[in-house]
Amino acid sequence: MGAFLLDAYQDWYCPNCGLEDRTRPQPPNASRYHSCSGLHGLNAPLIRAGVRCKVTAEERQDYLGTEIQARGDDGRQYMAVRTTTDDHDDLLVFAGLARAELR
Ligand SMILES: [Zn+2]
């Protein structure tokens, strides 16, 4: 009887730009991110292979004022990237940045 060689790995993919990655197994709550060319260049999660979901960018709706907000490569302000799976949503929020001046 032969020995089994286990080479465990985790495959990841992006439903928007098609990027694929393979890593060593990760803990269940681990996440991987990339700058997504299919989602306005925003920082977006990679999805574990086999998980069906939708990843969308959420545009900021309120008035920006003097805050600095993440912008996509289309120049629009995005406040979050939402990952929608069959049973829950994950939200990656881009907080507005404060600006300070040092003298
Ligand atoms: Zn992507």
Side-chain angles (χ1 to χ4, degrees):
M1 184 150 172
F4 288 99
L5 286 177
L6 290 178
D7 188 16
Y9 56 83
Q10 173 69 55
D11 281 332
W12 306 78
Y13 77 103
C14 174
N16 290 309
C17 71
L19 180 72
E20 294 182 359
D21 195 12
R22 174 172 285 183
T23 64
R24 290 280 157 204
Q26 302 285 313
N29 59 350
S31 300
R32 294 182 63 76
Y33 294 93
H34 69 297
S35 179
C36 185
S37 60
L39 207 62
H40 314 297
L42 297 170
N43 197 31
L46 283 173
I47 308 301
R48 288 172 192 265
V51 174
R52 283 162 33 101
C53 69
K54 189 172 67 172
V55 179
T56 52
E58 305 225 327
E59 211 170 325
R60 182 166 166 152
Q61 303 294 332
D62 59 332
Y63 177 65
L64 194 59
T66 57
E67 285 184 62
I68 304 166
Q69 181 71 52
R71 287 180 189 265
D73 57 11
D74 55 359
R76 296 186 176 183
Q77 300 145 7
Y78 291 97
M79 60 179 190
V81 169
R82 180 183 296 273
T83 304
T84 308
T85 63
D86 287 341
D87 60 348
H88 73 283
D89 284 10
D90 285 328
L91 207 55
L92 172 65
V93 175
F94 306 123
L97 302 175
R99 182 173 7 204
E101 193 172 332
L102 296 176
R103 294 170 189 259

